[in-house]
């Protein structure tokens, strides 16, 4: 039966489009703003600054251990708001469907997206569907755009990061990237590696309510991993970041599979992790708080911020040598170093070279 | 040179992604919220209800007479906010790029998007870029999501539409759809048909400032055209809409080409048109006001709203007969009729059947 798959006519704005919207989207997304099917959702926004972010998801495969593109589409956007200090409130969801995509798969994705949105306490308030011809897409791509509010008194940003600050992560790194890449490579594990994909707004909100002053900056290390995210911090602040190799929480199976695939967990994407730069005196209390939360059980302090030049022999030498391994950006400015158990330092550059496509 | 095209590595979040963002996106989009490249834009929102809408653009070809996908991506989303009574303020822009897409084309699209946003007075405040493999996309797809504010005192909606109201359009219909389809079909005209693609927030805001009470409802007839949009109105209100065939503003060359292609301008997409349902006593003044605006020169009253059953012989019969031509939805509820110059009525159904894909 042709109607068990997406047809081009599902995207032409006519009768089939309406049926798709009614029978799949509206059945899973229930919000007063959606029911009228008007052009824009009209919403109440509490006091505070408006926060907005957008993300398109093209992950391959669509279903992977620990999640699927629908769950990811909520987690990714909710987390971008959360790490900015915002309380996520509203999501829009826009789908590009490929002709021939099974309606059953679409429904599974939509149900997962709706469930994750409910868990995160955000409402899907507007949507869009487009259909492209077979061979012009890849099943389904989803854009989610999020809006939230930053309550008064919250101020996170590069400008608050200082030498001496600690770098904390709420758990093991590389899980999402490894889950995707090993599924793609057809690698089977005794203990399957699952994506960490999860909305973190509950965790970040709890943290900011308790440590508004001590938490300087947060960022979720997605594409490009912890290495790339911390390079962005180093370049934007002009400060160095020294990671302790021994302190990095990496699952044993992730470490093993990464070695097998020739990958470094520092560059693998995470979808349920947040890097927190915090005042050193609050680190222990922050770690204790994080570890009481389901998404923070393996929280760890993984490094520290140092002045940009001449601090510590290793880093100072590294920056001075300009080893040429870098991407060319940020030379002479802040850099990221990894301190090995033997006390050596190696430069951790931004991801450059082998691309890891379609990871989110 | 490989770097003249999009590579997979442009999408991996590493060094090439950063260069793309710096050298193309940030060069064209200049907003304080973008410069920091943090996860979410933090924005000021004036008093009023928040309006949000999302739209993905997959138009083919990317460049067409009267516009391109960049211009369209602003116009489409700005217009969805505008017809809801909102003042559009912020846009997010998310790109899905196909490996091999020429950077020069990307830059042209981004420049056009930025220029149209400036003209519309909206700021692009957040963005995202993903790259998919050759054969998993089609050059570039763009999602724009818009946020705006509905000033106090504005109330548009189905609930305000009453029998006796007039239906107005701000100009000729079918121009966008015809421009796309004829370009696709390789048809050349003496006078090329151009898309009407344009942000209408200036026009709608002027109208709502002057006629807050008389304007009951607005909607932009994009995919599915005037016929489908008015069917949505009829179905949602339970009221009939009677269009006057002779009053429909259609360019001569659009009418001719539509006949050639076997299409009806009533079903062709518009990207710079708004359908306005208004109190009958204000129609003349609204038309005069519209015609003074560059986007309203050919404004016309094209029909009226009537009670759902038994009003007028033609429509009453039509609804009673259940001719079976319809999509099955809305039978026995509000319908749309076209009154021909000879006084006959024919049912105008929602678009069903031949799909017109990738029109926006």
């Amino acid at each position: 039966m042709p109607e068990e798959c997406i047809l081009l006519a599902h995207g032409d704005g006519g009768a089939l489009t309406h049926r798709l919207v009614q029978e799949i989207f509206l059945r899973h997304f229930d919000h007063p703003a959606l029911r009228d099917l008007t052009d824009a959702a009209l919403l109440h926004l509490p006091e505070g600054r408006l926060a907005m972010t957008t993300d398109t998801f093209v992950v391959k495969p669509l279903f992977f251990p620990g999640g699927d593109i629908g769950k990811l589409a909520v987690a990714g956007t909710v987390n971008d708001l959360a790490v900015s200090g915002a309380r996520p409130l509203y999501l829009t969801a826009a789908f590009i469907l490929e002709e021939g995509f099974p309606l059953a798969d679409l429904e599974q994705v939509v149900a997962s997206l709706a469930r994750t949105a409910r868990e995160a306490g955000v409402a899907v308030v507007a949507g869009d569907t487009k259909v492209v011809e077979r061979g012009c897409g890849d099943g389904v791509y989803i854009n989610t755009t999020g809006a939230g509010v930053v309550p008064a008194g919250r101020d996170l940003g590069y400008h608050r990061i200082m030498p001496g600050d600690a770098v904390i992560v709420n758990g093991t790194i590389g899980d999402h990237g490894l889950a995707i890449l090993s599924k793609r490579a057809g690698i089977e594990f005794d203990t399957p590696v699952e994506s960490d994909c999860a909305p973190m707004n509950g965790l970040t909100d709890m943290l900011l309510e308790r440590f508004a002053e001590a938490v300087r900056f947060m960022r979720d290390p997605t594409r490009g991993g912890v290495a790339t995210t911390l390079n962005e911090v180093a370049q934007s602040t002009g400060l160095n970041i020294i990671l302790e190799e021994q302190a990095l929480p990496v699952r044993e199976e992730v470490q093993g599979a990464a070695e097998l695939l020739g990958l470094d967990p520092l560059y693998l994407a995470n979808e349920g992790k947040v890097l927190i730069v915090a005042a050193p005196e609050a680190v222990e209390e922050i770690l204790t708080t994080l570890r009481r939360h389901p998404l923070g059980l393996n929280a760890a302090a993984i490094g520290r911020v140092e002045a940009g030049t001449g601090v510590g022999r290793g880093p100072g030498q590294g920056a001075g040598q300009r080893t040429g391994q870098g991407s060319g950006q940020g030379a002479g400015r802040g850099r990221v170093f990894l301190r090995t158990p033997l006390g050596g330092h190696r430069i951790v550059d931004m991801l450059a070279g082998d691309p890891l496509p379609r990871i989110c």
Side-chain angles (χ1 to χ4, degrees), chain A:
Chain A
M1 264 185 294
E3 276 220 42
E4 289 180 356
C5 286
I6 287 293
L7 309 175
L8 283 176
H10 279 113
D12 67 7
L16 268 185
T17 307
H18 280 76
R19 207 194 287 176
L20 183 70
V21 168
Q22 292 289 346
E23 293 178 9
I24 294 197
F25 293 109
L26 288 188
R27 205 149 57 72
H28 289 282
F29 302 134
D30 185 37
H31 190 274
L34 279 174
R35 274 175 227 140
D36 255 5
L37 291 179
T38 48
D39 288 295
L42 301 189
L43 307 160
H44 168 72
L45 200 73
E47 283 286 304
R49 277 170 302 168
L50 170 68
M52 277 189 87
T53 191
T54 189
D55 220 335
T56 304
F57 298 86
V58 299
V59 67
K60 189 176 183 169
L62 297 175
F63 303 93
F64 48 82
D68 57 68
I69 192 171
K71 183 180 183 185
L72 189 60
V74 173
T77 293
V78 160
N79 291 346
D80 280 345
L81 291 173
V83 300
S84 306
R87 292 193 176 129
L89 295 170
Y90 304 118
L91 283 187
T92 62
F95 295 76
I96 299 178
L97 304 172
E98 187 189 11
E99 183 188 12
F101 185 58
L103 281 175
D105 287 2
L106 176 62
E107 174 131 30
Q108 199 180 331
V109 165
V110 170
S112 170
L113 196 158
R115 187 169 52 244
T116 313
R118 274 193 301 277
E119 285 165 11
V122 295
V124 177
V125 295
D128 181 55
T129 311
K130 292 293 187 311
V131 178
V132 294
E133 306 89 329
R134 214 180 282 266
C136 289
D138 198 5
V140 57
Y141 298 143
I142 305 178
N143 175 279
T144 51
T145 300
V149 157
V150 184
R154 289 191 182 175
D155 177 30
L156 298 170
Y158 291 133
H159 64 282
R160 293 200 52 224
I161 301 177
M162 286 183 285
D165 282 353
V167 180
I168 295 168
V169 68
N170 62 314
T172 55
I173 65 173
D175 300 12
H176 176 74
L178 210 280
I180 299 289
L181 291 171
S182 58
K183 167 118 197 198
R184 230 141 67 181
I187 301 171
E188 302 266 342
F189 301 100
D190 296 340
T191 326
V193 176
E194 293 209 337
S195 166
D196 57 346
C197 174
M200 296 186 288
N201 51 325
L203 180 138
T204 55
D205 202 50
M206 177 193 71
L207 212 59
L208 291 174
E209 285 298 287
R210 291 199 49 185
F211 304 97
E213 189 53 37
V215 174
R216 324 270 205 208
F217 176 88
M218 298 195 290
R219 174 73 61 94
D220 53 335
T222 55
R223 270 189 295 185
V226 168
T228 300
T229 301
L230 290 181
N231 264 284
E232 289 167 359
V233 174
Q235 289 181 15
S236 296
T237 58
L239 300 169
N240 287 338
I241 294 171
I242 322 296
L243 291 175
E244 298 292 335
E245 190 170 30
Q246 276 188 307
L248 292 173
V250 183
R251 280 185 210 287
E252 209 176 303
E253 54 273 31
V254 169
Q255 187 69 54
E259 278 167 19
L260 201 69
L261 294 165
L263 299 167
D264 182 343
L266 272 176
Y267 291 92
L268 291 175
N270 308 276
E271 293 291 346
K273 292 299 164 333
V274 53
L275 292 167
I276 302 157
V277 181
E281 62 274 13
V283 168
E284 282 314 312
E285 215 183 329
I286 288 174
L287 286 173
T288 307
T289 306
L290 284 172
R291 288 173 187 149
R292 282 200 204 106
H293 192 281
L295 297 179
L297 301 177
N298 298 306
I302 60 171
R304 64 186 185 285
V305 179
E306 293 192 353
T309 46
V311 176
R313 258 189 358 185
Q317 284 173 359
Q321 284 168 352
R322 299 208 184 160
T323 58
Q325 296 165 20
S327 59
Q329 294 181 296
R333 303 173 60 193
R335 306 209 71 163
V336 181
F337 300 90
L338 187 71
R339 207 168 73 96
T340 63
L342 296 174
H345 286 82
R346 72 171 171 87
I347 295 177
V348 177
D349 268 316
M350 196 172 272
L351 178 64
D354 282 347
L356 305 171
R358 312 270 308 261
I359 212 78
C360 59

